[in-house]
Amino acid sequence: GEDVEQSLFLSVREGDSSVINCTYTDSSSTYLYWYKQEPGAGLQLLTYIFSNMDMKQDQRLTVLLNKKDKHLSLRIADTQTGDSAIYFCAERDNAGKSTFGDGTTLTVKP
Amino acid sequence: SQTIHQWPATLVQPVGSPLSLECTVEGTSNPNLYWYRQAAGRGLQLLFYSVGIGQISSEVPQNLSASRPQDRQFILSSKKLLLSDSGFYLCAWESQKGGPGELFFGEGSRLTVL
């Protein structure tokens, strides 16, 4: 089956930029997503990018997509303590099925 | 606006007991509905999805089952729980009306099987 990989942990200092990376195997991906999960809660969509785009910016968030290398990244500028959470990368194939990575736990130190 | 509700939020059940988790969606019609399980420290595993009333697709063999008795109601059940069924269960919906296909998740139900 399709696979989505991401590093499990990232720790940054408040005010620094955070970059969370993800790789995927499905060459038929249509959309790629970043979801955020706060402790004990469900996932919330942060942002998404269509597979024919290479960059999307939304306030403090920048998504970069390298379709050739099947690499997706999420950059959070000026990271705040409220950004501490688990971030999931996900891809959607052309059959409409979404596959999630295992999540990256972001810890922001004051 | 659309909302999704899951209950109960937490559940502690003995091995061999039955299970029923409920999920309802409001503010939309004919959504695709999903049940995911999130084991501790792991990602999401898709268990079931449904594109309409009475239509259930299972992604993994297990002792769980799902039903969709109404358009916006999705139920996850088990007749006899196993220890390995412990986890965080998430219901999600997706619009069938096109667009980027993002999933909207409920707040989750944490199941502990003892």
Side-chain angles (χ1 to χ4, degrees):
Chain A
E2 303 306 336
D3 197 23
V4 176
E5 301 273 346
Q6 46 183 134
S7 53
L8 293 182
F9 302 99
L10 176 66
S11 180
V12 300
R13 293 217 172 269
E14 192 174 16
D16 288 350
S17 292
S18 306
V19 179
I20 303 172
N21 294 300
C22 170
T23 57
Y24 59 97
T25 58
D26 186 0
S27 56
S28 70
S29 293
T30 55
Y31 287 93
L32 296 112
Y33 312 87
W34 284 104
Y35 288 85
K36 177 182 180 181
Q37 184 182 33
E38 307 219 357
L43 280 69
Q44 287 188 303
L45 180 71
L46 271 182
T47 187
Y48 66 89
I49 188 168
F50 189 47
S51 59
N52 69 353
M53 297 171 63
D54 52 21
M55 188 182 92
K56 180 178 180 180
Q57 188 154 2
D58 183 2
Q59 299 182 332
R60 292 190 297 123
L61 306 178
T62 303
V63 178
L64 295 178
L65 174 61
N66 181 327
K67 196 171 181 181
K68 173 177 170 289
D69 294 339
K70 296 189 183 68
H71 182 268
L72 182 75
S73 68
L74 173 70
R75 179 177 179 268
I76 305 173
D78 187 25
T79 314
Q80 303 298 305
T81 54
D83 294 324
S84 292
I86 304 176
Y87 291 81
F88 289 91
C89 172
E91 63 90 18
R92 179 185 177 88
D93 66 20
N94 55 13
K97 181 181 172 185
S98 292
T99 301
F100 286 79
D102 282 349
T104 298
T105 299
L106 174 65
T107 302
V108 183
K109 298 179 180 177
Chain B
S1 64
Q2 302 90 358
T3 57
I4 178 168
H5 301 284
Q6 260 185 263
W7 70 94
T10 58
L11 200 58
V12 180
Q13 292 283 104
V15 168
S17 63
L19 171 74
S20 180
L21 299 179
E22 294 197 33
C23 172
T24 60
V25 180
E26 296 175 2
T28 188
S29 59
N30 199 28
N32 291 334
L33 295 172
Y34 301 82
W35 278 111
Y36 285 88
R37 176 169 59 205
Q38 183 179 23
R42 299 293 302 276
L44 299 179
Q45 179 187 34
L46 178 62
L47 301 175
F48 300 95
Y49 69 93
S50 171
V51 299
I53 295 173
Q55 299 179 62
I56 309 293
S57 295
S58 173
E59 287 292 304
V60 292
Q62 63 222 321
N63 69 319
L64 299 171
S65 62
S67 61
R68 185 171 178 173
Q70 299 180 48
D71 180 46
R72 289 170 289 176
Q73 184 183 24
F74 206 23
I75 298 171
L76 183 70
S77 304
S78 174
K79 292 182 180 177
K80 287 186 178 181
L81 285 168
L82 306 173
L83 285 175
S84 57
D85 291 324
S86 292
F88 192 51
Y89 289 82
L90 290 159
C91 181
W93 74 271
E94 172 195 17
S95 172
Q96 289 195 23
K97 297 177 182 175
E102 70 265 39
L103 295 173
F104 299 91
F105 287 84
E107 288 298 300
S109 298
R110 184 164 301 283
L111 171 65
T112 304
V113 182
L114 301 175

